[in-house]
Amino acid sequence: GDTQVRVAALEAMEQCVGALDLSGERGVGLLDALSHSMRSCNSASGLLLLHLRIVALLAAVEPATPGGPMPLDASDSLASEVVDRATALLVSGHAPLQGAALDLVMHVAQRPSLLARRMASCRHLVRAVVLVLLASPDFAQEHQRAATALRFLLQVPGCQGEKSAARFLSAAHRAALVASVTAEMANLPCALTPEASGAGSLVSLAQVLCSASSTSAFKDKA
């Protein structure tokens, strides 16, 4: 419970995440403890950001056996806490915290894990990413990161045969995203390609939305 001790332990964990043995009950215990520690953090603290960095690193750890479960899948408590915190940070309106949450979503959603599928099946998280994307200025780094994070979420396979996270996007969301792509491309300097300007991330998102959409009307608008 001592803050200095927690920080020291977390910093040590951050440095050696790849070497930790997260298998068995000891691994579950460590992840549950990380979840408990995260839950007690203030939403605007550097300590919380340290937790988020560790979870992002854990998302990159390979399974103990080929084809086995991802280490992050071992703790339901941590999975729930990560999704709840990422959602809260995205709706906070605080740019550094939103950036940290987007980084976390991007890291986790790229891995074939239970946590990634849980993120993609969370209506509030998916819509929070959309709102950050639509509220951020064109060509801004935060805008590009939000587009990338949403694209990764939409490409995560659904749990137990569910459809992708695109089902959480209303017609208004989809129309706004298409309008954002259209306006951004219209304002693109002639000398720049979409990739050079950063607009490529939004174009890639639009392609994913079109392929995931089940309504021909949306495809026609796109």
Side-chain angles (χ1 to χ4, degrees):
D2 181 271
T3 301
Q4 290 184 331
V5 174
R6 285 170 67 199
V7 170
L10 289 165
E11 288 179 341
M13 186 176 182
E14 183 181 22
Q15 294 299 316
C16 63
V17 162
L20 293 174
D21 180 6
L22 296 172
S23 61
E25 293 184 4
R26 293 175 62 186
V28 175
L30 179 58
L31 295 177
D32 284 346
L34 181 63
S35 171
H36 178 77
S37 179
M38 183 185 296
R39 192 174 300 114
S40 65
C41 288
N42 183 288
S43 292
S45 68
L47 187 57
L48 175 59
L49 298 183
L50 177 56
H51 284 79
L52 297 183
R53 290 201 304 271
I54 290 173
V55 173
L57 291 171
L58 285 169
V61 176
E62 296 294 335
T65 58
M70 298 293 292
L72 278 178
D73 293 349
S75 173
D76 289 334
S77 174
L78 182 60
S80 297
E81 185 63 25
V82 168
V83 171
D84 290 346
R85 279 304 180 114
T87 305
L89 294 179
L90 287 170
V91 301
S92 69
H94 190 275
L97 297 178
Q98 289 177 326
L102 289 173
D103 284 342
L104 177 65
V105 171
M106 285 189 286
H107 277 91
V108 173
Q110 292 181 78
R111 305 289 289 178
S113 66
L114 177 62
L115 177 54
R117 293 194 296 276
R118 185 172 297 187
M119 278 189 165
S121 65
C122 180
R123 179 188 304 270
H124 300 299
L125 176 63
V126 173
R127 292 187 172 183
V129 175
V130 172
L131 293 178
V132 172
L133 171 61
L134 295 176
S136 55
D138 289 355
F139 308 117
Q141 184 180 30
E142 182 183 10
H143 192 67
Q144 298 167 33
R145 290 157 81 186
T148 303
L150 182 58
R151 175 165 61 89
F152 286 152
L153 280 177
L154 297 181
Q155 292 177 309
V156 175
C159 292
Q160 298 178 347
E162 291 180 350
K163 296 179 181 178
S164 76
R167 69 189 188 279
F168 296 133
L169 303 181
S170 65
H173 285 136
R174 291 177 174 176
L177 288 168
V178 171
S180 180
V181 174
T182 304
E184 190 161 341
M185 296 308 296
N187 293 324
L188 183 66
C190 295
L192 290 179
T193 63
E195 290 73 19
S197 68
S201 57
L202 206 60
V203 173
S204 297
L205 170 62
Q207 293 171 338
V208 171
L209 281 168
C210 287
S211 64
S213 176
S214 59
T215 61
S216 58
F218 176 67
K219 292 180 181 179
D220 291 341
K221 289 180 182 179

